[in-house]
Amino acid sequence: MNVEHILRTKESRVVAVRTSATVAEAISLMKAENISALVVKDVCRTEGNTLAGVLSERDIVHALLDRGAPLLSMPVSQLMTRQPVTCAPSDSVRQALQLMDQHHIRHLPVLEDGHLVGVVSARDFTRLQLQELEGTVAATPEPPAGTSYAH
C-alpha cells in the first residue's frame, strides 16, 4: 500500500497559512481546525501549491520556551521548518513511516513533481492500522527482502 491510498481515503483539504501570518494567527487556525501542524505557503499566488515550510505545535512550544510571549507576534516565516521532510504519493506506507520515525516528525507533506498534493500524519497511519485490524482494509504487504528506501 502506498501514500496515495491514504490521500484518497481522507479529506483532501490541506490547511495552510501564509508566511506573513503571525504565530498567534497560526495557533488560532490550528485550534479552530483541531490540528497540530500547518503547511506554510508563500503569499505569491503564482506559487500555487508550492510548499514554503511546515509549522508544528512542537516548533511553537520550543520557540515559546526560548523567546517567550513576543513569539506570538512574529511572522510564521521566522519559525517554520523551511525544508521539511516530504514524501511522494508513490512511496510505500513503510517508507513514509520510516521517514517520520527517522526525523521525529508526525506530519509529512506529500509532493508530486514539486507540487503539494496533500499531507499525511501519524493519525492517518493509526487510522489505517485500525482499519487493518478491523478487517475493513487489506493489510499492508511486507516489501521484498533487501528493498532499499533511500529517498
Side-chain angles (χ1 to χ4, degrees):
M1 188 174 303
N2 59 21
V3 171
E4 182 178 20
H5 171 80
I6 293 173
L7 291 177
R8 280 188 269 128
T9 61
K10 65 181 277 183
E11 184 180 337
S12 61
R13 185 173 75 98
V14 174
V15 181
V17 66
R18 292 184 172 177
T19 55
S20 59
T22 66
V23 172
E25 291 170 328
I27 293 169
S28 293
L29 182 56
M30 286 179 183
K31 181 179 178 186
E33 296 289 336
N34 194 30
I35 56 176
S36 58
L38 293 169
V39 165
V40 183
K41 293 185 177 184
D42 205 339
V43 295
C44 181
R45 295 205 189 276
T46 59
E47 292 298 320
N49 282 330
T50 301
L51 179 68
V54 171
L55 181 68
S56 71
E57 285 177 336
R58 185 178 292 164
D59 295 329
I60 295 166
V61 168
H62 290 195
L64 192 57
L65 184 61
D66 294 339
R67 301 175 188 179
L71 167 80
L72 298 174
S73 61
M74 289 175 50
V76 167
S77 61
Q78 290 185 10
L79 190 58
M80 70 184 188
T81 300
R82 291 188 178 275
Q83 294 181 331
V85 176
T86 64
C87 68
S90 59
D91 287 349
S92 71
V93 167
R94 181 179 292 276
Q95 285 173 287
L97 285 168
Q98 286 175 331
L99 284 171
M100 293 169 81
D101 181 53
Q102 177 184 0
H103 296 281
H104 307 282
I105 57 176
R106 293 176 293 172
H107 300 85
L108 201 54
V110 183
L111 302 181
E112 187 169 41
D113 298 324
H115 297 285
L116 181 69
V117 295
V119 175
V120 290
S121 69
R123 184 182 306 170
D124 296 324
F125 294 112
T126 301
R127 188 176 301 117
L128 176 65
Q129 188 170 27
L130 285 171
Q131 290 170 347
E132 289 175 356
L133 291 171
E134 294 167 355
T136 58
V137 78
T140 306
E142 291 295 316
T147 301
S148 172
Y149 293 116
H151 195 36

